[in-house]
Amino acid sequence: MQDRSYDVMIAGGGFVGRTLALALAKLAPQGFRVALVDAEPPDNGISDARASALSAATKKLLSVLGLWKQLAAEAQPILAIEITDSPLNAGLRPHLLGFDDEMREGEPGAYMIENSDLRRALATAVAEHPAIEIYAPESLADFNSDAFRVVARLASGDRIEAPLLVAADGKRSRLRERAGIKCVGWSYPQLGIVTTVAHSKPHEGRAVQHFLPAGPFAILPLKGNRSSIVWTEGKECGAAIMAKDETGFLAELSTRFGHRLGEISLAGPRQAFPLDFQVARSFVTDRLVLVGDAAHVVHPLAGQGLNIGMRDVAALAETIVEATRLGLDIGAPIQLERYQRWRRFDSAFSATIMDGLNRLFANDSAPLRALRDLGLGLVDRAPVLKRFLVREAAGATGNVPRLLRGESL
Ligand SMILES: Cc1cc2nc3c(=O)[nH]c(=O)nc-3n(C[C@H](O)[C@H](O)[C@H](O)COP(=O)(O)OP(=O)(O)OC[C@H]3O[C@@H](n4cnc5c(N)ncnc54)[C@H](O)[C@@H]3O)c2cc1C
């Protein structure tokens, strides 16, 4: 059994936990030490069929941390967005709302990155940084806090301690549960099916969101003539589609994909994810803060879950680094409240918007359809509003932490 002291302990080495570890190791005053505890082995080679739409703000954060240069070659900018809800059997699928000129002004609002590329870049950077000690595969089993510190017990029996513990342990967060923090939330009666397709014609950076009665079907551009599919289906129907052989699965996919990008074939594995809405009632308690999916889980229809988690990272890193420079206790209630005020309302608001969009579109009600088509048609004719929506999706509105503006701390 060993006892070790750190400045911050992070439980969970997903994208959010690793990015936070790196931000603190690189930007906090010299001598700052981070313990990163992850249940998965560091080079787990997890098969993840997903790609993520990273906002321009998340790209700026990754640039400040020196990660974007490894990712740039694999990142596909999203240059146009098309939103439609036309029936599958419609010969033509006219768009309801399109973002074209608005997306081409200035830098792209979002980039598609395959999760395996992001995972590899983060794992290497974290492993190479001397200020980060990695405990993996290892679980944070329990913790207790007093007036000065949190002592955590690892599954191996080791004890580690720090003035602050960060729960980045995902949507089923054991730390959140152990701290007695409840969530507002529910599971959607939907599955998120993801895969990659290759197509014979170029996508020209165009992302398509096709709202179907069972849920949205998204075609998101990747490097080359490939696209990532995020396909929301009702649970039963989704399970039946997942159970089909490759030919049957491709046939279902082709019906929804349409013919615009020519011949298509499967270019990656398929996976299905349960979908939830979840917001923690509090993001902080005694010397513990929640970040990423441990704090909030949103419907993937607008590709915002990780981007919202990256906002947590940027706000928390700024709070911790500033307090450390002033010699303040980073686990004191006043620091935790600063983080909570910055992040809780913003996350709850984003999660509610995604939930509302899913409810508005995932149904076949004729009056609702007429109303939303009218609404989106009006938005399509309002360039100022469209520019605002593009800036919102890029993460450039509200009280933006410095790292998301591309500034160091
Ligand atoms: C279908 C789908 C598509 C998506 N697309 C997008 C997108 O385009 N853009 C976007 O921004 N977001 C997207 N998201 C959301 C995004 O994937 C998540 O928000 C993000 O991965 C959450 O990261 P995290 O690090 O918070 O949690 P996780 O990735 O869940 O990581 C948690 C980590 O904690 C570890 N852990 C758990 N318990 C313990 C413990 N007790 N001790 C130590 N370690 C522990 C786990 O092993 C894991 O490594 C999508 C989600 C889905 C389902």
Side-chain angles (χ1 to χ4, degrees):
M1 213 159 79
Q2 296 176 327
D3 283 295
R4 300 212 177 105
S5 291
Y6 297 90
D7 293 292
V8 166
M9 300 182 288
I10 301 171
F15 293 148
V16 171
R18 282 183 187 174
T19 309
L20 178 66
L22 202 60
L24 294 174
K26 287 201 162 197
L27 305 172
Q30 232 185 345
F32 196 94
R33 295 184 65 236
V34 181
L36 179 64
V37 184
D38 192 27
E40 311 287 344
D43 52 349
N44 53 20
I46 290 177
S47 140
D48 188 342
R50 283 175 299 177
S52 294
L54 300 185
S55 68
T58 296
K59 178 208 159 191
K60 286 181 184 155
L61 162 70
L62 297 175
S63 302
V64 176
L65 300 183
L67 283 168
W68 191 253
K69 52 184 187 292
Q70 287 117 13
L71 294 169
E74 311 304 331
Q76 168 64 48
I78 297 184
L79 302 173
I81 300 179
E82 213 174 279
I83 298 174
T84 177
D85 69 348
S86 48
L88 278 179
N89 53 10
L92 209 70
R93 294 180 178 177
H95 76 245
L96 267 179
L97 178 58
F99 295 90
D100 227 312
D101 295 346
E102 301 78 11
M103 303 285 294
R104 291 182 202 271
E105 290 166 1
E107 74 162 318
Y111 297 80
M112 288 303 300
I113 287 274
E114 287 172 76
N115 281 12
S116 50
D117 290 329
L118 183 56
R119 178 166 290 111
R120 201 173 314 115
L122 269 168
T124 309
V126 161
E128 284 173 355
H129 205 292
I132 303 173
E133 187 138 353
I134 301 173
Y135 292 84
E138 176 67 278
S139 275
L140 199 144
D142 198 11
F143 60 93
N144 285 294
S145 54
D146 61 25
F148 306 101
R149 57 184 192 155
V150 196
V151 179
R153 184 173 57 77
L154 306 183
S156 61
D158 284 356
R159 279 173 206 282
I160 57 176
E161 62 170 68
L164 182 66
L165 172 61
V166 180
D169 52 343
K171 73 175 173 183
R172 306 267 172 259
S173 171
R174 183 131 49 104
L175 275 71
R176 184 185 65 218
E177 200 178 299
R178 163 74 180 76
I181 299 176
K182 299 267 183 280
C183 290
V184 180
W186 50 82
S187 292
Y188 291 106
Q190 296 169 318
L191 277 184
I193 301 174
V194 293
T195 191
T196 306
V197 295
H199 32 79
S200 54
K201 294 187 186 165
H203 48 54
E204 290 166 345
R206 184 171 296 272
V208 178
Q209 181 73 288
H210 192 164
F211 284 103
L212 295 167
F217 180 90
I219 305 173
L220 303 157
L222 297 175
K223 278 278 166 183
N225 280 3
R226 294 180 312 137
S227 292
S228 169
I229 304 298
V230 184
W231 168 7
T232 309
E233 268 299 339
K235 264 190 180 151
E236 270 180 33
C237 178
I241 290 171
M242 283 299 288
K244 287 184 187 279
D245 63 13
E246 197 154 302
T247 316
F249 182 76
L250 186 59
E252 291 281 355
L253 197 151
S254 304
T255 322
R256 290 157 179 84
F257 195 94
H259 307 290
R260 180 200 293 172
L261 295 177
E263 291 292 307
I264 65 166
S265 57
L266 292 175
R270 53 177 125 141
Q271 280 178 332
F273 296 82
L275 304 180
D276 302 281
F277 171 97
Q278 191 171 282
V279 180
R281 286 186 187 273
S282 171
F283 281 16
V284 302
T285 184
D286 301 337
R287 296 192 174 274
L288 176 76
V289 300
L290 310 184
V291 292
D293 277 15
H296 42 70
V297 179
V298 307
H299 196 286
L301 66 88
Q304 285 297 323
L306 179 56
N307 291 306
I308 301 171
M310 291 300 193
R311 281 185 165 234
D312 301 345
V313 167
L316 186 58
E318 192 168 324
T319 307
I320 292 176
V321 169
E322 282 179 5
T324 305
R325 286 205 186 114
L326 294 171
L328 301 172
D329 174 3
I330 61 170
I334 192 167
Q335 305 302 339
L336 304 189
E337 264 316 308
R338 181 182 175 206
Y339 166 73
Q340 161 139 289
R341 269 199 316 277
W342 208 342
R343 294 301 311 135
R344 188 159 184 279
F345 175 75
D346 179 76
S347 313
F349 182 71
S350 303
T352 309
I353 295 283
M354 307 309 149
D355 181 61
L357 285 173
N358 185 51
R359 281 169 200 275
L360 183 63
F361 282 97
N363 67 73
D364 232 351
S365 146
L368 211 54
R369 185 188 184 100
L371 202 67
R372 77 186 179 217
D373 289 4
L374 177 71
L376 289 185
L378 288 174
V379 174
D380 202 33
R381 283 168 192 76
V384 175
L385 181 56
K386 280 168 78 175
R387 268 187 209 105
F388 171 79
L389 291 174
V390 168
R391 278 172 46 76
E392 175 73 19
T397 57
N399 182 5
V400 182
R402 277 161 52 194
L403 287 170
L404 296 183
R405 286 186 255 136
E407 296 165 18
S408 190
L409 297 179

